[in-house]
Amino acid sequence: MSSWIFSLGRRLSRPLISLLIVLIVGDVTSEAVEANPKAPAASSGTPLVHNARIPWQDELETDLAYLCSDELRGRSVVDDSIHIAADYISGRFRAIGLQTTLISGGPLQEVETFVGSEVGADGHNRLEFRSDSNPMAPDAQTPLELISRVGVSMNPLAIGASKANVSGRVVFAGYGITAPEFDYDDYANIDVDGAIVVVLRKEPRNSDPTSRFNGKQTTSHAYFSTKVANAMRHGAAGLIVVNDRASVAESLAKIEETIRREQNRKLQLQERIREATRGRDESRETLNQNLAGIESVLTGYRFDLERANDGLLGISEAGDRPDSATTIPVICIARPTIDELLRSQTLLRIDDLERQLDSQQMPSSFELRGIHAEMEVELQSNKRLSNNVLGVLPGRGVLAEETVIIGAHYDHVGMGGVGSLAPGTVAIHNGADDNASGVSTLIAAATLLKERLKSFDTHRRVLFVAFTAEERGLLGSAHYVRQPRYPISTTVAMINLDMVGRLRDNELTVYGTGSGDTLDQVVEQVNFKHQFNLFKVASGYGPSDHQSFYEAGVPVLFFFTGLHSDYHRPSDDLDKINFDGVFRITEMVCDVATQLSIAASRPKRFETEKGVRIRRQLTAVLGVTLATLGDRVSLSGISEGGAAALGGLQIGDQIEHLGKTAVRSSSDVIEILRGHSPGDSLDVTLVRQGQRLQRRVRLQARGGN
């Protein structure tokens, strides 16, 4: 055992010590893990075999499998499958014996969700440029006719008018900025009254510290809304936005990096398929299905890459228009299309004009003489109805009128689109972990608590809520808080279950332990029985439904097993769920809920920090063991063929920085690696025999899922 483990021994439990070995080395045998009686082996994704199955566990597996099945198409609030899921959950609540006649005689609380703007009727979104003759070839008498197609060479932008049909001459107005404080005005010396104005996104030399604007700090003149308002002040009839080079390059880089990561996942999966042994045909079939899913994801990303290369923005990418605002129509045009228009008059491309503006930092606006534009937009506000699903276990005795809430959201991101981290991909995002795992745990907890609380003469009511529209901004829980079934003032605590299906290395994260004066103590006491490696976060804030309750004055706890590379992707599937982990978390949640239900006094809410970072599972490793002496961390072992070995690191090297982050302890290394994925390149600053060196390593995938 390495010396750094002994230095941490006074502060870490035995299970966590074993965990750290696995995390850093990335090459530990299953026997080494199994030798620790408190830390189950990392799940391969296949449910572990139980010698004596309990009915509620079988039911949990059935619930989870159905909720993440293809039949429910990813449970998006824009798809009718959300109602099928709600009916299933309400049926399960009734079967358990919960009271469900809570909202107008039923279990459903209706929630309206604005899901953005979308194009209206066919043919009502168009952009056409015409001239009587081609100015570049007057002898040929060839008229210019340039018609843009929605989603290919143009998109209406929701920040503008939702319905309009305008026409006019065309004026190029640089960046569309009027900024007296910077002695800059793109509209000086040009008349745009009644014209269709073409402007570039952002501002001259954006992110350049020598810019006449605020250098790297973007000013408000770069905002879409500012450009629209400025065009209106100058009398423009419509606005055409051209994406700037820097933004196009940034979008391309992000998509290319995502494609690289997906390709790495594809290579890893192909290797696992090659290593699949005989007698595991079902496993190979699942792996091949996952491989097909990655291929679909890559196809979608390549489509996105093409669109990003042309600089085309999505309908809502510039934001949505202010309520009841009178505005002009706004369209984004692809850079190749504006090039075609410009070449008809000037022989210049948009790149040339942008470089000129950035170089001179002076306006250079002009009218495209003889060019006439017609633009029509028709956007419709898209609102959908879905439901929170409620079931209650009534309280008893003197505590009966107080409430403990256990909640989990059941919506996901459907077939892709909004919220998906595989943009452009049309594939079912089943959301096994996010959040079929939380809802199935919620249902199982209702089953267990109904029996457990029978033995108490007095206990608080327990309200079970499956929330809708969490993925759209915690809308379901926010709606409940505004219109609660039981007064928020009598709600003593809320327990949130979101992504509890991927327990790994026995590590369970619990947020909100500092949001109430007794919550940390309750969690610790209950965990003495369950022996999870707890990572506790005091804050009651965070991007899940517990935040709605915490902001309304309710102490909260949020159970979570960590982000992973399948988050919001089609690959978040059933085969990766660690069912033994889910069963153990269900038991712990029930024990915590029992304590909160029977305690004589309710927890007192404490204010906590807002800056919450959601914890990722560790998926990438260096392939080393570490020794810590004081605030120095050195390599005491290197795995053959591992990331460190391939990157030129040697035993005895002292690690000073990983990337830009200083390393002072082995736990620093773990937290830095959590922020990276397999295949990422990471710069290592090290000291070797008194000499400071830099090496670059390519992180490798950790074993298992």
Side-chain angles (χ1 to χ4, degrees):
M1 190 174 290
S2 302
S3 59
W4 66 270
I5 295 176
F6 289 111
S7 72
L8 294 174
R10 290 189 299 272
R11 291 184 288 130
L12 300 180
S13 65
R14 289 181 183 273
L16 187 53
I17 290 172
S18 297
L19 163 65
L20 295 179
I21 298 173
V22 178
L23 298 187
I24 299 297
V25 178
D27 187 23
V28 177
T29 64
S30 59
E31 289 79 10
V33 179
E34 290 166 358
N36 177 2
K38 295 180 181 178
S43 170
S44 66
T46 303
L48 300 181
V49 176
H50 295 268
N51 292 327
R53 296 305 299 270
I54 305 172
W56 71 263
Q57 294 176 341
D58 289 328
E59 291 168 356
L60 187 155
E61 284 201 27
T62 300
D63 292 336
L64 203 159
Y66 178 73
L67 289 168
C68 71
S69 66
D70 287 353
E71 179 182 343
L72 293 186
R73 299 189 297 276
R75 311 181 307 279
S76 169
V77 294
V78 303
D79 190 281
D80 288 342
S81 62
I82 194 74
H83 303 298
I84 299 172
D87 289 343
Y88 179 85
I89 295 166
S90 61
R92 291 289 290 120
F93 282 173
R94 283 191 294 270
I96 290 166
L98 300 183
Q99 290 185 8
T100 57
T101 54
L102 300 176
I103 308 291
S104 300
L108 305 180
Q109 182 184 45
E110 194 171 76
V111 179
E112 185 178 71
T113 304
F114 173 70
V115 294
S117 298
E118 60 184 12
V119 295
D122 289 345
H124 286 215
N125 289 276
R126 59 189 179 89
L127 175 62
E128 300 177 7
F129 299 99
R130 288 187 173 85
S131 68
D132 294 335
S133 63
N134 188 338
M136 294 306 302
D139 295 338
Q141 295 296 309
T142 304
L144 171 72
E145 184 174 19
L146 190 59
I147 301 176
S148 299
R149 293 171 52 204
V150 173
V152 177
S153 51
M154 61 82 77
N155 267 332
L157 297 183
I159 196 170
S162 59
K163 189 172 184 177
N165 191 342
V166 299
S167 62
R169 55 198 173 85
V170 180
V171 177
F172 175 73
Y175 282 93
I177 292 174
T178 299
E181 69 273 31
F182 297 112
D183 191 24
Y184 185 97
D185 187 2
D186 282 309
Y187 287 92
N189 304 317
I190 60 168
D191 175 19
V192 302
D193 190 38
I196 307 298
V197 177
V198 179
V199 302
L200 284 159
R201 183 183 181 185
K202 297 290 180 67
E203 57 194 14
R205 293 168 76 165
N206 192 67
S207 298
D208 183 343
T210 65
S211 167
R212 71 188 295 167
F213 287 80
N214 279 358
K216 290 190 174 183
Q217 183 178 350
T218 301
T219 74
S220 62
H221 297 293
Y223 300 165
F224 289 104
S225 57
T226 306
K227 293 179 187 289
V228 174
N230 198 32
M232 291 174 63
R233 277 195 298 271
H234 286 88
L239 185 67
I240 297 173
V241 176
V242 183
N243 213 348
D244 63 295
R245 286 177 300 159
S247 296
V248 170
E250 183 180 351
S251 295
L252 287 172
K254 287 180 179 178
I255 297 171
E256 286 168 350
E257 173 64 15
T258 304
I259 288 175
R260 185 186 64 77
R261 290 186 179 182
E262 292 297 327
Q263 287 172 333
N264 284 335
R265 292 179 63 224
K266 176 181 174 180
L267 292 174
Q268 294 162 20
L269 198 54
Q270 288 172 330
E271 181 61 28
R272 288 172 60 192
I273 291 171
R274 283 192 291 270
E275 293 176 353
T277 58
R278 284 187 180 181
R280 295 190 61 189
D281 292 335
E282 182 179 355
S283 175
R284 284 200 297 274
E285 181 181 351
T286 299
L287 292 173
N288 279 310
Q289 289 174 348
N290 291 343
L291 184 63
I294 291 178
E295 291 286 5
S296 174
V297 167
L298 285 170
T299 299
Y301 279 132
R302 292 181 186 115
F303 171 81
D304 270 13
L305 195 65
E306 182 178 344
R307 194 186 80 167
N309 189 53
D310 290 344
L312 197 60
L313 297 171
I315 292 172
S316 296
E317 205 166 333
D320 287 302
R321 62 189 177 280
D323 291 340
S324 70
T326 301
T327 185
I328 57 177
V330 182
I331 283 177
C332 176
I333 192 171
R335 288 177 73 96
T337 305
I338 198 67
D339 280 344
E340 191 174 346
L341 177 66
L342 290 169
R343 283 198 302 267
S344 72
Q345 273 211 344
T346 66
L347 293 182
L348 295 174
R349 300 166 64 245
I350 194 66
D351 266 0
D352 302 322
L353 294 175
E354 191 172 353
R355 288 192 182 95
Q356 178 182 324
L357 287 165
D358 289 353
S359 173
Q360 298 176 357
Q361 296 193 71
M362 292 294 292
S364 183
S365 305
F366 59 91
E367 182 174 337
L368 279 74
R369 298 193 180 278
I371 304 295
H372 183 84
E374 293 184 13
M375 58 190 298
E376 181 179 6
V377 300
E378 184 176 298
L379 297 172
Q380 56 191 28
S381 179
N382 195 359
K383 295 182 179 180
R384 299 295 175 91
L385 295 176
S386 57
N387 297 282
N388 292 332
V389 186
L390 283 65
V392 70
L393 180 62
R396 303 169 70 184
V398 296
L399 298 174
E401 294 307 312
E402 292 185 339
T403 308
V404 172
I405 294 178
I406 306 179
H409 77 88
Y410 69 100
D411 65 305
H412 198 228
V413 296
M415 300 292 292
V418 175
S420 172
L421 293 181
T425 301
V426 180
I428 299 173
H429 292 51
N430 295 104
D433 188 26
D434 185 16
N435 186 33
S437 68
V439 179
S440 57
T441 299
L442 173 77
I443 296 169
T447 301
L448 293 177
L449 284 168
K450 184 173 182 294
E451 295 303 314
R452 291 186 184 185
L453 292 177
K454 281 181 179 178
S455 59
F456 294 95
D457 293 332
T458 181
H459 64 79
R460 297 175 174 90
R461 72 167 66 90
V462 183
L463 177 66
F464 300 88
V465 188
F467 295 108
T468 186
E470 189 270 356
E471 301 290 5
R472 296 281 174 163
L474 317 184
L475 299 184
S477 53
H479 180 80
Y480 178 87
V481 166
R482 289 193 302 270
Q483 299 185 31
R485 175 58 180 82
Y486 302 105
I488 290 296
S489 61
T490 63
T491 302
V492 304
M494 188 270 184
I495 298 173
N496 184 32
L497 306 168
D498 195 349
M499 296 178 65
V500 293
R502 300 280 284 268
L503 186 72
R504 190 168 189 174
D505 304 310
N506 200 38
E507 187 179 56
L508 177 62
T509 302
V510 184
Y511 292 82
T513 54
S515 67
D517 61 347
T518 61
L519 295 185
D520 187 88
Q521 181 182 0
V522 168
V523 169
E524 284 289 351
Q525 287 177 346
V526 169
N527 193 52
F528 185 78
K529 167 186 172 184
H530 296 283
Q531 289 293 296
F532 287 102
N533 295 322
L534 289 183
F535 183 83
K536 297 183 296 182
V537 180
S539 180
Y541 295 97
S544 192
D545 288 312
H546 61 286
Q547 177 169 293
S548 299
F549 288 85
Y550 184 64
E551 290 178 335
V554 179
V556 296
L557 290 172
F558 167 32
F559 288 80
F560 178 62
T561 55
L563 289 180
H564 44 71
S565 59
D566 301 307
Y567 171 70
H568 279 202
R569 293 182 170 89
S571 51
D572 181 8
D573 278 327
L574 182 66
D575 65 303
K576 297 174 183 174
I577 295 296
N578 176 354
F579 278 101
D580 266 16
V582 179
F583 299 155
R584 294 177 59 224
I585 292 169
T586 302
E587 293 273 9
M588 179 163 179
V589 167
C590 287
D591 287 346
V592 169
T594 299
Q595 293 301 313
L596 293 174
S597 298
I598 65 174
S601 59
R602 58 189 293 175
K604 179 183 177 182
R605 183 187 183 277
F606 284 165
E607 187 57 51
T608 60
E609 293 184 10
K610 291 186 177 181
V612 178
R613 205 172 153 193
I614 292 299
R615 207 167 196 231
R616 289 186 56 176
Q617 291 187 336
L618 189 138
T619 59
V621 292
L622 280 170
V624 298
T625 53
L626 304 175
T628 299
L629 182 61
D631 62 353
R632 291 181 300 167
V633 178
S634 62
L635 305 187
S636 59
I638 296 181
S639 299
E640 183 178 352
L646 296 175
L649 276 63
Q650 299 178 7
I651 291 176
D653 288 347
Q654 293 180 8
I655 307 299
E656 288 194 339
H657 287 80
L658 288 178
K660 296 181 180 180
T661 306
V663 172
R664 297 289 181 263
S665 67
S666 300
S667 58
D668 289 342
V669 177
I670 296 171
E671 291 308 311
I672 294 167
L673 291 179
R674 283 187 191 278
H676 290 274
S677 300
D680 285 357
S681 294
L682 186 61
D683 291 325
V684 182
T685 304
L686 56 90
V687 175
R688 180 183 297 166
Q689 298 177 349
Q691 183 179 4
R692 181 172 283 101
L693 304 172
Q694 275 217 317
R695 295 289 184 266
R696 174 166 288 189
V697 299
R698 192 177 182 84
L699 299 176
Q700 295 179 344
R702 194 175 155 205
N705 285 323

